[in-house]
Amino acid sequence: MNTQTETLEFQAETRQLLQLMVHSIYSSKDIFLRELISNSSDALDKLRLASYADKDLDVDTDDLHIHLSTDKEQRTLTIRDNGIGMSRDELVENLGTIAKSGTAEFLRKLRETRDANASEELIGQFGVGFYSCFMVADRVTVVSRRAGETQGTRWESTGEGTYTLEPVDEAPQGTSMTLHLKPVDEENALYDYAADWKIKEIVRRYSDFITWPIRMDVVPAGAEEGAEPEPTTINSRKALWARSSDEVSEAEYAEFYKHLTHDWSDPLDTISVKAEGTFEYQALLFLPSRAPMDLFMREGRRGLQLYVKRVFIMGDCEALLPEYLRFVKGVVDAQDLSLNVSREILQQDRQIQLMRRRLVKRVLSSLKTMMAEEPEKYRTFWKEFGAVVKEGLLNDPANRDAILDVVSFPSTNDAEATTSLREYVERMKDGQEEIYYLTGRSRSVIENSPHLEGFQAKGLEVLMLTDAVDEMWVDAVGEFDGKKFRSVAKGQADLKAEDDEDNGEGERDQREEEFAALLSWMGTLMEDNLKEVRLSSRLTTSPACLVGDEHDVTPELEKLYRAMGQDVPHTKRILELNPAHPLVSGLRKAHEERADDEGIAETAELLYGMALLAEGGELSDPPRFTRLLADRLASVL
C-alpha cells in the first residue's frame, strides 16, 4: 500500500477564494459553523438516501448524527458526522477545486459587496461553505471515508495555496473536520470557538431545526463534581413544517429559510400547508424578498425539498411546482410516497400531481390575499418576481384566471403605482369594451410614445407592458372578465368617430381625398418597409407613428424570436400620418406643387425614420438618416 503523503496545489480560483476568507471579509464569523453543520447534515441525508437506493451498501444507519467537540488546551474544534463520507478523489474535487460554475462571478461579487449580510449570503449561494472555516482556523484537518469503502483519506491545509492527502486505514465512516483555531480577537469578531457555550449559542441560533441530532459531551445538570460528560443533543430537531404556525415565531421561520436557501434576508412571506385525508402531506413554503441572481438562468436550480415521513429524498424536486413559481422555496413532507421514488417517477406520480395542483393554488391564493391586504409587501414581491409569474399565463392555462387576478401593471392612470386588471375594468369609461395596452422596453419609452396621444386625449387608460413575456401572453390570453385586450399600436383607432358622430365621417372623407395622392406616393416610395401609409386618428401632437395590423407580430416579439434562434420573416408596418400636423400638411402641399423634387422624397424618408425612433425602434441606415437630417436643417438656416 502506498502511504506516501501527496502535496497538491489548489485550483487558481480556489486560492483566490481562500485569500479572501483568510483575510476575513465577513463581519460575522460565526456562520462558519452553520455552513459546516449544513454540509454534515447534507452528508447524512445522502447516506440515508443511498442506503434506500442500494440495499447491498454496507453502512450503519442506526444512529446517524453530528458530533461537536472542543479542546481548550489544543484550541481545536471538531465537527464529526457518520454520513456518506468522501473518497480521495472526492476530497480533491470538493475541497481542492471549486467545480461549480460561476466561481468568477462569486469572486467578483465578493470583492464588490460592502454589505456584511449580503456577503454572508454568497458563501452558501455558490456552494463554498467549507472554505469559511479558514476565517477562524490557521489549519484544517479533514479525515473522511466514503460509505462502502474500506480506506479513508486525510486532507490537511493551512489555506495558503497547497493541501496534503494521506491514506488512513482506520478511518470511521463519514467525515471529521478538525479546526486548529486562531487566537481570540473579539475586536475583529473572532470569538473563542473552543468554548462550549459559544458553540451551543451558534447551534441554537443557526442550526436548532436540523433534523439530525447535533451532540456535544456535556456534564449532566445536577451531576456530582467530577462527573464524566455525556453525549447530549443540543438542537431541538423539531421540523418547523410539522409544528403549528402558532407555535413557531417569525424569527424561527426566518432562520429556517436562511438555512434552506442561504439567503441573507428574511423571507417576504411564509405559507404553511397541511393536507389531511386520503393523502397527507405538510409543506412550508417561502416567498423570498428579492430575486436570486440565477432566476432567469436556464441552468439555475429550482424546486422544493422533498421528504417522506421526515426522511430527506431530494433537494430540488422540480415536479412539485411549475417553472413560473421557481422562486418559491421550502419543503414538502409526504406521508405515503415511496422512499425509492425517482425524478422520472415523480413526473407521472398521481399524488405528486395532486400536491402540485394544491400548492400552486395555495401560492396564488396567498398572493391574492397579499395584494388586497398588504399592498406594500405585494409591490415588493411584484417588482422582484412579476415577470416570472406572468410566464404562467402562457404555460399554465388551468390556473390562468387565478394568475390574472394577481398580476399588475403600470398604466397611464398613475405615474408611479401599478394597477390590477380588476381595478382597470372598474375604471373603464361607459361604452368601453376593450382593455387597452401598449408594449415597450420601459415605462418611459411607452409614456412618450405617440401611440398614446389620442387615447390620453380621450381620457382612456392604457396599460404599459414592459416585460418580454408581455409580448406573448396578451395574444394567448385574449381577454379578462369578458373584455378583450387591444394594443393601441395595432389596427385602426377610430377615436375621432367616437367624438363626433354627425360630421366626423364627412370630415374624414374630405381629408382622405386631400391626402390621397401623398399617401399613394409615400406607399410606393417606401414599399420595401411599409405595407401601407394612411391617415391617423390616434395622433394629436406627433406627425407620424408606425402601427401594425391586428394580428401582426410586433417588432419586439420579432427580436425575441430571433434571440431564441427562430427565423421569422420581417413584418411590414403601417405608417400613420397626422393630417393636422404642420409637417404633414406642409409635405402634402409641397408634393402637390413639386412632386419630382428629390428633397420631398428625403423629407418623407425622414418622417418615417422619426416615427421609427419615436417608438424605440432602430434605423436600418443611421448615417443616411443623420445626413438627410443635417441637410434639411441646413436648408432652413
Side-chain angles (χ1 to χ4, degrees):
M1 182 181 301
N2 181 13
T3 60
Q4 183 176 355
T5 300
E6 301 175 77
T7 300
L8 304 176
E9 288 191 0
F10 284 110
Q11 173 200 36
E13 289 179 333
T14 311
R15 288 200 299 272
Q16 297 177 48
L17 176 61
L18 283 167
Q19 286 301 307
L20 289 170
M21 292 292 187
V22 169
H23 292 92
S24 189
I25 61 170
Y26 298 100
S27 60
S28 175
K29 297 175 177 61
D30 291 359
I31 61 168
F32 84 92
L33 188 56
R34 178 192 72 183
E35 294 300 320
L36 297 183
I37 288 176
S38 180
N39 289 347
S40 292
S41 176
D42 289 344
L44 295 171
D45 288 337
K46 289 175 181 177
L47 180 66
R48 175 63 66 87
L49 191 59
S51 68
Y52 283 118
D54 183 0
K55 299 298 183 183
D56 297 325
L57 187 64
D58 183 18
V59 293
D60 181 7
T61 59
D62 291 338
D63 183 28
L64 298 180
H65 65 277
I66 301 167
H67 191 276
L68 310 179
S69 59
T70 60
D71 186 323
K72 292 182 176 61
E73 293 184 2
Q74 298 295 322
R75 288 200 49 72
T76 62
L77 167 64
T78 301
I79 302 95
R80 296 187 182 89
D81 68 69
N82 53 348
I84 192 71
M86 289 177 282
S87 65
R88 175 205 174 278
D89 290 343
E90 287 172 329
L91 279 167
V92 172
E93 180 181 353
N94 295 333
L95 306 190
T97 304
I98 306 178
K100 195 176 179 70
S101 63
T103 306
E105 177 72 2
F106 166 79
L107 292 169
R108 183 182 67 80
K109 289 185 176 292
L110 206 53
R111 293 189 189 97
E112 288 178 357
T113 185
R114 294 294 179 265
D115 186 327
N117 290 329
S119 61
E120 287 177 18
E121 175 245 357
L122 293 174
I123 286 181
Q125 184 174 2
F126 282 84
V128 294
F130 167 77
Y131 301 102
S132 63
C133 63
F134 285 100
M135 295 191 297
V136 302
D138 288 321
R139 179 163 52 95
V140 177
T141 303
V142 178
V143 177
S144 190
R145 176 170 68 84
R146 182 168 181 80
E149 296 186 358
T150 57
Q151 187 179 68
T153 306
R154 178 183 288 108
W155 181 101
E156 188 168 279
S157 178
T158 59
E160 294 180 352
T162 63
Y163 59 93
T164 62
L165 291 171
E166 181 181 357
V168 177
D169 291 331
E170 300 299 325
Q173 170 190 303
T175 301
S176 170
M177 295 173 281
T178 299
L179 280 55
H180 303 266
L181 300 167
K182 295 178 180 180
V184 175
D185 183 1
E186 294 195 5
E187 191 173 314
N188 290 313
L190 189 58
Y191 302 108
D192 186 4
Y193 297 112
D196 288 353
W197 70 268
K198 181 62 179 175
I199 298 304
K200 292 177 185 175
E201 176 194 273
I202 298 173
V203 169
R204 280 194 297 270
R205 189 191 325 150
Y206 290 118
S207 308
D208 194 53
F209 42 76
I210 295 289
T211 53
W212 303 108
I214 302 173
R215 297 173 183 161
M216 287 188 73
D217 292 337
V218 177
V219 175
E224 297 180 1
E225 186 176 348
E228 290 294 318
E230 300 175 0
T232 304
T233 300
I234 60 174
N235 62 319
S236 70
R237 300 181 58 204
K238 292 181 180 178
L240 264 66
W241 60 86
R243 295 160 59 184
S244 168
S245 57
D246 297 335
E247 301 173 1
V248 185
S249 68
E250 290 299 319
E252 287 179 296
Y253 278 137
E255 281 304 325
F256 181 74
Y257 167 77
K258 291 174 183 177
H259 165 75
L260 199 67
T261 64
H262 297 291
D263 192 354
W264 59 271
S265 54
D266 290 344
L268 187 66
D269 200 21
T270 303
I271 304 170
S272 183
V273 182
K274 186 174 184 179
E276 298 177 332
T278 55
F279 179 50
E280 297 184 4
Y281 65 91
Q282 295 164 317
L284 185 59
L285 309 180
F286 298 98
L287 302 181
S289 57
R290 61 196 184 93
M293 288 177 290
D294 62 354
L295 183 63
F296 292 99
M297 295 181 184
R298 183 172 297 179
E299 66 275 13
R301 293 185 65 181
R302 67 178 183 89
L304 305 176
Q305 288 194 0
L306 176 62
Y307 287 75
V308 174
K309 296 179 181 177
R310 308 280 181 89
V311 176
F312 177 79
I313 301 300
M314 65 180 65
D316 51 347
C317 183
E318 298 180 359
L320 287 167
L321 283 176
E323 190 171 1
Y324 71 92
L325 294 179
R326 57 186 176 273
F327 53 85
V328 178
K329 305 298 180 184
V331 298
V332 174
D333 189 356
Q335 300 301 308
D336 304 311
L337 284 176
S338 167
L339 292 172
N340 293 320
V341 68
S342 67
R343 291 185 185 274
E344 290 72 22
I345 294 175
L346 284 174
Q347 298 296 330
Q348 306 298 327
D349 189 275
R350 186 186 65 82
Q351 293 178 332
I352 288 289
Q353 295 305 312
L354 178 62
M355 279 196 292
R356 176 187 172 110
R357 288 196 294 271
R358 290 179 178 175
L359 292 175
V360 170
K361 291 184 183 300
R362 183 58 185 275
V363 171
L364 295 177
S365 172
S366 296
L367 288 178
K368 188 174 182 179
T369 301
M370 182 194 295
M371 186 187 223
E373 300 178 2
E374 299 177 282
E376 284 297 325
K377 183 185 286 188
Y378 169 82
R379 278 192 283 272
T380 298
F381 167 81
W382 193 252
K383 178 183 176 184
E384 298 292 324
F385 302 105
V388 182
V389 173
K390 286 186 285 188
E391 293 175 10
L393 294 171
L394 286 169
N395 304 327
D396 190 3
N399 289 296
R400 183 172 286 169
D401 290 342
I403 299 172
L404 287 172
D405 280 336
V406 300
V407 298
S408 66
F409 311 94
S411 88
T412 54
N413 179 67
D414 192 294
E416 295 182 2
T418 60
T419 182
S420 68
L421 291 172
R422 184 68 56 195
E423 291 169 334
Y424 179 99
V425 170
E426 290 172 356
R427 289 193 298 267
M428 286 173 64
K429 286 181 171 292
D430 292 340
Q432 182 181 343
E433 296 297 328
E434 297 171 312
I435 298 173
Y436 296 117
Y437 73 89
L438 181 60
T439 60
R441 288 178 296 183
S442 68
R443 179 170 187 152
S444 62
V445 169
I446 294 176
E447 284 177 331
N448 293 297
S449 171
H451 298 103
L452 294 183
E453 293 173 0
F455 291 86
Q456 288 180 307
K458 296 295 180 184
L460 296 170
E461 183 177 355
V462 180
L463 299 177
M464 295 184 274
L465 311 187
T466 58
D467 293 314
V469 68
D470 292 329
E471 295 281 355
M472 294 179 281
W473 73 258
V474 283
D475 289 332
V477 173
E479 64 177 46
F480 171 77
D481 197 28
K483 309 292 185 182
K484 290 186 177 182
F485 290 104
R486 168 78 180 276
S487 171
V488 301
K490 287 186 177 182
Q492 291 279 6
D494 294 326
L495 299 174
K496 297 293 184 184
E498 296 173 10
D499 193 44
D500 190 349
E501 294 183 1
D502 294 331
N503 57 23
E505 192 73 30
E507 288 183 3
R508 278 204 313 278
D509 289 344
Q510 183 179 346
R511 284 198 303 269
E512 290 286 349
E513 185 177 344
E514 292 173 351
F515 280 85
L518 176 68
L519 299 178
S520 175
W521 171 73
M522 288 184 65
T524 304
L525 179 68
M526 290 180 279
E527 62 182 353
D528 290 341
N529 295 313
L530 300 173
K531 68 169 66 173
E532 183 184 354
V533 181
R534 69 191 182 198
L535 296 184
S536 177
S537 63
R538 77 185 83 221
L539 297 173
T540 59
T541 58
S542 297
C545 71
L546 288 166
V547 300
D549 272 337
E550 201 67 45
H551 302 291
D552 279 354
V553 175
T554 65
E556 289 298 319
L557 191 54
E558 274 190 33
K559 291 179 185 176
L560 187 61
Y561 282 137
R562 291 194 178 99
M564 296 163 53
Q566 298 184 34
D567 186 20
V568 293
H570 173 66
T571 302
K572 290 184 179 182
R573 311 287 300 288
I574 298 169
L575 180 65
E576 287 195 350
L577 303 182
N578 178 2
H581 195 281
L583 176 58
V584 176
S585 59
L587 182 62
R588 178 186 69 82
K589 185 176 180 181
H591 178 260
E592 286 179 354
E593 296 174 352
R594 50 186 196 281
D596 296 332
D597 188 343
E598 186 178 347
I600 305 301
E602 291 177 349
T603 301
E605 188 177 342
L606 284 172
L607 191 60
Y608 165 72
M610 290 162 57
L612 189 60
L613 291 174
E615 69 172 10
E618 298 177 359
L619 297 167
S620 60
D621 191 351
R624 174 175 172 78
F625 179 85
T626 305
R627 186 175 66 254
L628 292 179
L629 181 60
D631 291 344
R632 292 292 96 194
L633 292 174
S635 68
V636 300
L637 295 178

